[in-house]
């Protein structure tokens, strides 16, 4: 019961923030000839149902919302697409280790160097987290994998974070479900059910549209608090790439030390929300949902697709309202992705060289401690920026200028380290 009250307080804080931010919303930059989607959705105060009343099985809504339910089940599809996949995103199943062999060296010392697959649909979230060989610190991992997480949270309180993953997951049946974004009210409201995001929201300067918040519950950078096991969003300083880095630096935080250079590194997760924020489309208040879950027409009925997938499979519906030339906009999107992907590979080549030269230098000669530390700092900065772009799932599309800038900076840090190493010879 205590938790439910806590929730109320969090929501009141959110509502308070809403009032403040609407008062001082910044002037939107005028973009020529285009209009944002008509109306903005609001996140309401959420009443958390009692655990026994929570409707966590999506099938419950099958008869009431047959088309939405059916579209939601399409997140189980792999390869069965009506529109061609783009070359860089949306391909399944794909193994990053094969595609980008450099990451075996860059992620040496953590699970991602042994197993790393491209994300699949929401249907598989629970199954995939159970099956991954990567280690799981605790039941917190379930926060982004099942519609039953809030139920567990209300039942166990904060003890949940530390509970054994494998034991806890025994009792969990459903993957991401309607409950995740709507609680018991699909069709009426978007609800935030991820505790970490409800807290994260209070740190944002501007409240994102509801169709972005629903996704930012999970498509964000996060880490597990070392003491409590809680999922935390590192947003105290802001959500820009360097602001998140500063947050980690201030806490002396690192996910692991690179076994060959000793560098304390940050492993970035999937920062779609942070990357997207501030992009051309975001500044027009277009939400994740507008592109990824557009209104579609089938059998004479119009409904909101719940097939969260690559928007390039529904360009007419997702982009057509503003970009009339469907073919052209796909090409333009893929050009951006190709450019960012090439830059990403180029930076990863530099990082491999840096790691190898640095490791060799450590083996071969004695370097001043402060030089070693400088090299480690440069390595950390460069690899963090590269990783931020590498693991962001749109291959740069969500915000090409932010991705480009991060990779440019990564290059500079890596080059500085290589120059410093060369001086040591
Ligand atoms: C302006 C349209 C647009 C918006 C808004 C948008 N995306 Fe995307 N997103 C795309 C495109 C285009 C791709 C690349 C798809 C591809 O390569 O096939 C993509 C890719 C992705 C992918 C990888 C998909 C895959 O199949 O591999 C994820 C995950 C994703 N976006 C999540 C989000 C989230 C979360 C938000 C909001 C923070 C968001 N997107 C906002 C257009 C958009
Ligand atoms: C990942 C988040 C997410 C999940 C999961 C989800 N929805 Fe939605 N849903 C949204 C968003 C965002 C909207 C648009 C905002 C709104 O209308 O409140 C929406 C809208 C709706 C609507 C209103 C339709 C419209 O015209 O906008 C219905 C009905 C609905 N969802 C039913 C469901 C059902 C049933 C399920 C489970 C099978 C489900 N949703 C799962 C995010 C989600
Ligand atoms: C409860 C957490 C959660 C929420 C909320 C969520 N996602 Fe996801 N999403 C995931 C996970 C986890 C995966 C990867 C699943 C896997 O690989 O098994 C994923 C994968 C995806 C993919 C890749 C699908 C594919 O077939 O390539 C897209 C696109 C996506 N999400 C978009 C969205 C959008 C858009 C929203 C908001 C409407 C959203 N997600 C909300 C957790 C979430
Ligand atoms: C509500 C209107 C709107 C929607 C919906 C929309 N866009 Fe845009 N988009 C714009 C505007 C405005 C610009 C900036 C002016 C321009 O370059 O045309 C833009 C720019 C772009 C650019 C150039 C961006 C850059 O970084 O240089 C690409 C590529 C793009 N959009 C792709 C897409 C795709 C793909 C979709 C659908 C998944 C989409 N857009 C949906 C309005 C929209």
């Amino acid at each position: 019961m205590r938790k439910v009250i806590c929730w109320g307080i969090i929501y009141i804080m959110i509502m308070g923030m809403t009032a403040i931010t609407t008062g001082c919303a910044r002037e939107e930059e005028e973009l020529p000839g285009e209009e944002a989607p008509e109306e903005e959705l609001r996140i309401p105060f959420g009443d958390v149902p009692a655990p026994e009343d929570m409707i966590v099985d999506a099938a419950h809504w099958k008869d009431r919302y047959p088309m939405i339910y059916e579209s939601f089940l399409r997140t189980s599809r792999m390869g069965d697409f009506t529109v061609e996949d783009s070359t860089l995103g949306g391909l399944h199943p794909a193994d990053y280790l094969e595609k980008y062999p450099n990451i075996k060296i860059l992620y040496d010392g953590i699970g991602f160097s042994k197993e790393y697959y491209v994300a699949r649909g929401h249907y598989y979230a629970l199954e995939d987290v159970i099956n991954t060989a990567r280690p799981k610190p605790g039941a917190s991992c379930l926060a982004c994998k099942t519609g039953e997480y809030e139920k567990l949270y209300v039942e166990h309180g904060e003890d949940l974070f530390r509970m054994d993953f494998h034991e806890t997951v025994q009792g969990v049946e459903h993957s991401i479900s309607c409950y995740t974004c709507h609680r018991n009210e699909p069709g009426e409201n978007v609800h935030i059910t991820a505790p970490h995001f409800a807290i994260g929201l209070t740190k944002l300067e501007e409240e994102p549209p509801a169709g972005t918040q629903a996704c930012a519950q999970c498509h964000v950078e996060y880490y597990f608090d070392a003491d409590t096991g809680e999922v935390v969003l590192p947003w105290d300083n802001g959500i820009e790439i360097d602001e998140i880095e500063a947050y980690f630096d201030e806490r002396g935080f690192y996910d692991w030390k690179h076994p060959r250079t000793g560098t304390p590194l940050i492993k970035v997760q999937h920062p779609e929300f942070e990357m997207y924020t501030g992009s051309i489309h975001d500044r027009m208040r277009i939400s994740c949902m507008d592109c990824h879950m557009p209104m579609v027409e089938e059998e004479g009925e119009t409904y909101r697709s719940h097939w969260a997938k690559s928007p390039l499979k529904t360009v007419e519906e997702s982009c057509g309202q503003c970009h009339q030339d469907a073919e052209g906009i796909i090409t333009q999107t893929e050009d951006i992705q190709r450019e960012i992907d090439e830059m990403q590979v180029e930076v990863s080549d530099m990082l491999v060289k840096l790691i190898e030269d640095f490791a060799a230098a450590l083996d071969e000669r004695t370097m001043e401690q402060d030089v070693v530390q400088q090299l480690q700092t440069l390595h950390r900065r460069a690899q963090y920026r590269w990783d931020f772009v590498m693991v962001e799932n749109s291959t740069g599309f969500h915000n090409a200028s932010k991705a480009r800038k991060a990779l440019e900076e990564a290059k500079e840090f890596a080059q500085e380290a290589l120059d410093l190493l060369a001086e040591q010879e």
Side-chain angles (χ1 to χ4, degrees):
M1 212 48 221
R2 194 171 59 86
K3 282 297 158 236
V4 180
I5 297 164
C6 271
W7 271 121
I9 293 167
I10 289 173
Y11 277 97
I12 289 163
M13 283 163 69
I14 294 168
M15 294 313 288
M17 192 186 66
T18 309
I20 296 162
T21 47
T22 31
C24 60
R26 67 180 150 82
E27 288 285 311
E28 297 287 301
E29 193 176 312
E30 281 286 331
L31 288 158
E34 313 289 0
E35 276 170 21
E38 333 73 284
E39 53 162 336
E40 246 173 58
L41 306 154
R42 298 227 70 88
I43 305 278
F45 183 98
D47 269 333
V48 183
E52 63 277 15
D53 296 331
M54 292 178 179
I55 304 167
V56 291
D57 184 354
H60 177 92
W61 302 103
K62 186 167 70 160
D63 297 331
R64 179 115 172 246
Y65 302 112
M67 302 192 84
I68 288 181
Y69 177 71
E70 200 277 328
S71 71
F72 180 71
L73 289 186
R74 285 181 214 169
T75 62
S76 68
R77 285 194 189 177
M78 300 201 300
D80 170 24
F81 301 126
T82 46
V83 182
E84 286 293 299
D85 285 301
S86 80
T87 32
L88 291 164
L91 290 170
H92 303 277
D95 185 343
Y96 279 124
L97 298 182
E98 256 171 48
K99 198 165 156 196
Y100 303 111
N102 280 349
I103 67 181
K104 287 185 211 163
I105 296 163
L106 303 188
Y107 295 155
D108 193 3
I110 43 165
F112 287 98
S113 67
K114 307 224 159 46
E115 182 199 284
Y116 194 5
Y117 295 105
V118 171
R120 302 202 289 168
H122 289 162
Y123 182 88
Y124 298 103
L126 183 61
E127 178 183 325
D128 285 351
V129 74
I130 293 173
N131 292 338
T132 173
R134 293 197 303 263
K136 282 159 290 244
S140 271
C141 287
L142 289 168
C144 286
K145 313 294 180 187
T146 170
E148 297 178 50
Y149 191 74
E150 186 167 75
K151 186 159 179 244
L152 292 168
Y153 185 51
V154 171
E155 283 168 353
H156 301 284
E158 295 185 358
D159 293 343
L160 173 65
F161 307 147
R162 272 269 171 249
M163 279 162 56
D164 181 72
F165 175 86
H166 296 280
E167 261 170 45
T168 313
V169 84
Q170 299 290 320
V172 175
E173 201 182 330
H174 306 286
S175 188
I176 295 168
S177 80
C178 320
Y179 192 90
T180 304
C181 302
H182 298 296
R183 287 208 175 94
N184 287 351
E185 304 180 339
E188 286 166 54
N189 290 312
V190 166
H191 287 253
I192 297 306
T193 58
H196 56 264
F197 184 69
I199 296 167
L201 256 180
T202 64
K203 298 179 182 169
L204 298 177
E205 275 172 26
E206 200 174 348
E207 190 185 355
T212 290
Q213 294 192 29
C215 317
Q217 296 191 85
C218 303
H219 289 269
V220 289
E221 163 65 355
Y222 69 90
Y223 70 104
F224 294 112
D225 182 274
D227 297 325
T228 63
E230 184 179 2
V231 178
V232 184
L233 307 185
W235 293 355
D236 286 10
N237 298 327
I239 60 170
E240 291 307 317
I241 298 179
D242 51 352
E243 291 169 335
I244 292 175
E245 181 184 49
Y247 175 98
F248 286 131
D249 286 354
E250 283 159 16
R251 286 159 183 77
F253 178 91
Y254 58 92
D255 284 290
W256 91 110
K257 285 194 175 174
H258 198 279
R260 295 173 66 193
T261 66
T263 308
L265 291 162
I266 299 163
K267 179 72 198 78
V268 186
Q269 312 294 335
H270 24 62
E272 278 80 63
F273 170 66
E274 295 90 333
M275 182 64 86
Y276 179 63
T277 299
S279 65
I280 291 175
H281 295 106
D282 179 46
R283 281 183 278 140
M284 290 187 286
R285 304 283 291 179
I286 300 173
S287 73
C288 316
M289 170 201 77
D290 293 317
C291 288
H292 285 274
M293 294 176 27
M295 296 298 286
V296 295
E297 207 191 307
E298 259 167 56
E299 298 159 23
E301 263 192 70
T302 308
Y303 69 98
R304 179 158 308 284
S305 168
H306 274 57
W307 182 20
K309 43 95 193 73
S310 166
L312 299 185
K313 299 186 175 85
T314 47
V315 210
E316 298 290 345
E317 294 90 344
S318 296
C319 329
Q321 139 197 24
C322 305
H323 301 286
Q324 275 78 32
D325 173 12
E327 277 309 308
I329 206 64
I330 292 179
T331 310
Q332 220 181 317
T333 300
E334 292 188 343
D335 284 348
I336 292 174
Q337 292 182 319
R338 197 167 302 108
E339 178 209 327
I340 300 296
D341 192 57
E342 281 169 12
M343 266 182 98
Q344 177 273 112
V345 171
E346 189 193 332
V347 173
S348 76
D349 286 340
M350 288 177 79
L351 284 165
V352 166
K353 180 162 168 44
L354 165 56
I355 289 169
E356 282 176 350
D357 291 4
F358 188 5
L362 286 168
D363 286 346
E364 284 160 18
R365 59 186 144 267
T366 38
M367 286 191 287
E368 299 285 341
Q369 196 44 43
D370 68 312
V371 174
V372 173
Q373 241 171 32
Q374 270 183 58
L375 286 167
Q376 287 175 340
T377 302
L378 292 166
H379 177 197
R380 174 177 162 104
R381 302 228 175 297
Q383 184 156 333
Y384 163 73
R385 283 166 178 75
W386 162 81
D387 206 13
F388 209 99
V389 179
M390 170 68 203
V391 297
E392 201 280 331
N393 279 297
S394 73
T395 324
F397 168 78
H398 286 150
N399 197 339
S401 52
K402 198 183 278 192
R404 231 175 255 130
K405 177 163 176 274
L407 291 173
E408 286 297 348
E409 289 176 3
K411 249 197 247 181
E412 285 165 23
F413 284 124
Q415 191 56 53
E416 208 181 310
L418 288 167
D419 292 347
L420 186 57
L421 272 167
E423 281 169 28
Q424 306 305 308
E425 288 182 7

